[in-house]
Amino acid sequence: MTAEPSPDSLSLPLELADFRPGSVWLAGAGPGDPGLLTLLALQGLRQADVIVHDALVGERIMALAAPSARLEFAGKRGGKPSAHQDDITNRLIELAREGHRVLRLKGGDPFVFGRGGEEAQALAERGIPFRIIPGITAGIAGPAYAGIPATHRTANQAVILATGHSCAGGPDWKALAATGAPLILYMAWKGLPGIAAALMEGGRSADTPVGVVTDATTERQRVLVTSLGTCVADLEASGMEPPAIIVIGEVVRLRPVLDWLPKEIPHG
């Protein structure tokens, strides 16, 4: 395995933005593969005084931080002891008011089921300068690394991103089933039995293909292709564990042709 380059050895081709003291950058780290970082996210890693990061940001990405940066863990994982959102937000405000350049680093994209909107709203209300740095969301990159396109001209003209976990009760699965569009689900592992049943009640066939991608874009990535009628039992038997992205729809049938990622290609 090749050694990671040090942050000092990574030169950016241009100065992209001014990371000012007393400001917060809300950045997406992508789904796991360090190669999917944006240049702005890399600049934030190299220039931040404090990095407040999530559980899904891997060690290879955190290794790109400046040696002088202070790292603060603020992970939120379902079913495990986690930092409260209000505490995380208040910490960002506190650090910024102390004059630090604060990088709030999230897995995926901060504005796609990442609570980045809530944190940005709180910063705006307190008068804290901030910048949004979008990241590649796992709902697009995970299936792509599994050879499953989010859209294909012969299969669909729309795609639905949805969360399987919601404090507001979750989506209307029967209504989503009626659209016929492929569904890309985040945080749906525990809720899959009820989701699958509701989708079939809403008209989706039990034969509808389902793709489950765990640890997307990392060296631990695993993929299960199953069907809506058997996905719950097949997933239980697979030994796979979250985090996972679940794709439900005809685009999953393209995986045998588009599965481009040989095991020997290093990623993640």
Side-chain angles (χ1 to χ4, degrees):
M1 186 175 179
T2 59
E4 289 294 331
S6 69
D8 291 339
S9 70
L10 296 171
S11 59
L12 296 178
L14 69 166
E15 187 69 18
L16 296 167
D18 186 11
F19 197 168
R20 297 182 179 180
S23 67
V24 179
W25 282 14
L26 295 165
D33 186 338
L36 299 180
L37 278 172
T38 66
L39 290 177
L40 271 174
L42 179 58
Q43 179 179 330
L45 279 161
R46 296 185 61 200
Q47 295 185 355
D49 301 311
V50 184
I51 301 173
V52 181
H53 63 97
D54 282 351
L56 292 179
V57 181
E59 293 180 359
R60 293 184 68 195
I61 289 176
M62 295 308 302
L64 299 173
S68 60
R70 185 167 82 239
L71 309 182
E72 295 193 7
F73 178 75
K76 298 176 70 63
R77 297 295 296 272
K80 298 181 180 180
S82 302
H84 293 289
Q85 184 60 52
D86 287 346
D87 293 336
I88 297 171
T89 302
N90 290 335
R91 183 59 175 157
L92 297 177
I93 294 168
E94 178 185 24
L95 289 168
R97 285 178 171 169
E98 290 174 356
H100 298 295
R101 292 174 295 183
V102 184
L103 179 67
R104 174 66 171 116
L105 193 62
K106 296 171 172 285
D109 181 281
F111 274 14
V112 181
F113 304 121
R115 291 192 162 182
E118 297 174 39
E119 294 174 0
Q121 185 176 10
L123 294 171
E125 290 171 351
R126 303 304 201 287
I128 304 295
F130 65 91
R131 183 185 188 99
I132 306 301
I133 302 175
I136 298 176
T137 181
I140 302 300
Y145 267 53
I148 301 171
T151 66
H152 190 279
R153 188 166 59 92
T154 65
N156 62 308
Q157 287 74 50
V159 63
I160 297 171
L161 306 182
T163 174
H165 173 75
S166 173
C167 60
D172 183 340
W173 298 109
K174 292 182 181 179
L176 294 184
T179 67
L183 307 177
I184 297 179
L185 308 183
Y186 299 68
M187 299 171 286
W189 189 276
K190 291 185 177 179
L192 187 59
I195 293 169
L199 290 173
M200 288 186 285
E201 289 175 11
R204 291 288 175 103
S205 167
D207 294 330
T208 301
V210 174
V212 182
V213 187
T214 61
D215 291 308
T217 80
T218 75
E219 73 279 3
R220 302 177 304 279
Q221 176 176 297
R222 294 182 62 189
V223 181
L224 172 69
V225 174
T226 177
S227 68
L228 194 57
T230 64
C231 61
V232 175
D234 290 344
L235 197 54
E236 289 178 354
S238 71
M240 297 165 68
E241 295 182 350
I245 291 293
I246 301 174
V247 186
I248 302 172
E250 293 302 312
V251 289
V252 177
R253 297 192 193 278
L254 293 165
R255 171 171 156 79
V257 176
L258 302 181
D259 184 15
W260 60 272
L261 186 67
K263 294 183 183 298
E264 65 268 17
I265 293 180
H267 60 289

